[in-house]
């Protein structure tokens, strides 16, 4: 049996206008899959990368878009034993088909959601929250009294990270693009804010730390910040480069890491930190518990109708949004 679904797809890489809304017949879920009716869909910068063709080698066209959402299970494929029709589940990853009213999803990517959590809150937090979970708990575990630099501290990931890092007892230095965003970062617990449009963040980090540098820099900006971020690290510190919003990073002279203090650099992907089912579920339990305890709250949430997905992309790329973006079918 097929299900009619409205879904955004694209047949060429490019600007938001390449997105086309189509009504298609969705086949019954295959073995090991579930079918869900979306309640809310998360929008993330990786969606922009997919649309632009940054990962063209892994994304054959035509393609759908969207790797995060929450919905109600409406059908089960053969062999699915751990979910039932009517269950509410969230997901991160899997084939990019999230911008849709209904979709099929590998059951291995589905996560049971506690009843106490609101669907829109989960959609606003699950991808970004699981990103923060692996960054600060498993990629470079942050401990009490560590000092960290987090770029884009008022963004969706940055806002969640700042809240969680403060709960861990870290000192958080955050870069932001405006005084308005600095206020947001401070409200989330940022100890020191640096408005990069008028301040040299490398000089300010040196000043704030008394020349010692920070244990870790979390950098999703890329080209504009990478080189100076290395200079912000204390000896044996780690630069975690997990995005490139300003463009790809220039090739790195590995020998320079020794000269700068035996530094470490990593380019992690959430896919590799959630590939194992047990690790994925444990990370989700950690995140959901943090949400229920009030440690992590949804940052400013911008809601768009599903039909306005292209507009959501335009606003996100123009930095007209703050916090999280979700689509409502």
């Amino acid at each position: 049996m097929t299900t009619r679904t409205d879904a955004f797809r694209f047949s060429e890489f490019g600007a938001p206008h390449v997105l086309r809304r189509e009504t298609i017949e969705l086949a019954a879920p295959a073995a090991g899959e579930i079918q869900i009716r979306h309640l809310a869909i998360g929008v993330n910068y990786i969606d922009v990368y997919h649309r632009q063709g940054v990962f063209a080698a892994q994304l054959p066209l035509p393609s759908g878009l969207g790797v995060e959402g929450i919905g109600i299970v409406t059908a089960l494929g053969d062999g699915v034993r751990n979910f039932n029709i009517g269950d509410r589940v969230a997901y991160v990853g899997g084939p990019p088909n999230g911008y849709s009213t209904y979709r099929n999803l590998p059951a291995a990517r589905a996560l049971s959601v506690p009843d106490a959590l609101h669907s829109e809150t989960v959609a606003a937090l699950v991808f970004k929250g699981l990103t923060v979970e692996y960054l600060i708990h498993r990629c470079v575990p942050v401990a009490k009294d560590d000092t960290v630099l987090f770029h884009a501290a008022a963004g969706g990931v940055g806002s969640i990270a700042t809240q969680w890092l403060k709960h861990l007892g870290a000192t958080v230095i955050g870069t932001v693009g405006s005084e308005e965003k600095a206020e947001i970062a401070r409200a989330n617990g940022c100890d020191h804010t640096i408005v990069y449009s008028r301040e040299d963040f490398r000089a300010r980090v040196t000043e704030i730390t008394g020349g010692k540098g920070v244990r870790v820099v979390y950098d999703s900006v890329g080209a504009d910040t990478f080189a100076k971020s290395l200079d912000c690290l204390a000896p044996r510190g780690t630069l975690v480069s997990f995005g490139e919003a300003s463009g790809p990073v220039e090739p790195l002279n590995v020998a320079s890491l020794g000269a700068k203090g035996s530094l470490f650099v990593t380019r992690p992907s959430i896919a590799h930190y959630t590939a194992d089912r047990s690790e994925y579920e444990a990370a989700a339990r950690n995140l959901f518990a943090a949400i229920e305890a009030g440690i992590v709250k949804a940052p400013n949430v911008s809601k768009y109708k599903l039909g306005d997905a292209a507009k959501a992309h335009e606003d996100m790329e123009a930095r007209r949004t703050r916090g999280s973006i979700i689509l409502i079918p």
Side-chain angles (χ1 to χ4, degrees), residues 108-109 138 269-280:
R109 300 311 302 170
R138 291 181 287 142
S269 167
I270 191 173
H272 299 129
Y273 282 83
T274 60
D276 178 82
R277 174 71 187 178
S278 61
E279 194 174 14
Y280 182 43

Side-chain angles (χ1 to χ4, degrees), residues 49 61 126 177 202:
Y49 294 155
L61 296 179
V126 65
R202 176 173 54 191

Side-chain angles (χ1 to χ4, degrees), residues 37-240:
R37 173 178 58 82
H38 275 125
L39 299 171
I41 302 143
V43 177
N44 297 280
Y45 221 91
I46 195 171
D47 303 344
V48 173
Y49 294 155
H50 284 161
R51 194 202 72 228
Q52 292 176 337
V54 173
F55 306 118
Q58 297 105 6
L59 194 70
L61 296 179
S63 175
L65 199 63
V67 294
E68 169 192 32
I70 182 170
I72 302 296
V73 177
T74 57
L76 304 173
D78 289 343
V80 175
R81 299 286 182 265
N82 51 337
F83 294 105
N84 297 302
I85 292 175
D87 286 352
R88 189 172 60 135
V89 299
Y91 66 90
V92 171
N97 288 309
Y99 291 15
S100 58
T101 50
Y102 289 80
R103 71 159 297 170
N104 293 336
L105 178 77
R109 300 311 302 170
L111 299 163
S112 297
V113 178
D115 292 341
L117 299 186
H118 192 279
S119 294
E120 292 184 7
T121 299
V122 174
L125 282 173
V126 65
F127 188 104
K128 297 174 183 66
L130 286 177
T131 298
V132 172
E133 195 280 337
Y134 91 78
L135 287 173
I136 71 174
H137 289 280
R138 291 181 287 142
C139 182
V140 181
V142 175
K144 189 175 188 288
D145 297 327
D146 281 342
T147 301
V148 307
L149 172 62
F150 212 103
H151 288 298
V157 172
S159 294
I160 297 165
T162 298
Q163 296 175 58
W164 215 335
L165 286 165
K166 285 307 299 178
H167 176 74
L168 294 175
T171 296
V172 185
I173 305 171
T175 67
V176 294
S178 67
E179 183 54 44
E180 180 185 13
K181 290 188 175 182
E183 291 179 10
I184 294 169
R186 286 191 290 268
N188 283 320
C190 208
D191 296 282
H192 306 276
T193 56
I194 303 170
V195 181
Y196 61 77
S197 58
R198 66 169 189 250
E199 300 176 278
D200 182 325
F201 73 82
R202 176 173 54 191
R204 284 284 289 123
V205 168
T206 298
E207 178 186 344
I208 291 166
T209 64
K212 294 179 180 179
V214 300
R215 177 171 175 247
V216 56
V217 177
Y218 293 100
D219 187 353
S220 62
V221 178
D224 289 350
T225 52
F226 185 89
K228 286 186 176 182
S229 291
L230 286 174
D231 294 335
C232 293
L233 289 168
R236 296 164 56 184
T238 303
L239 171 53
V240 181

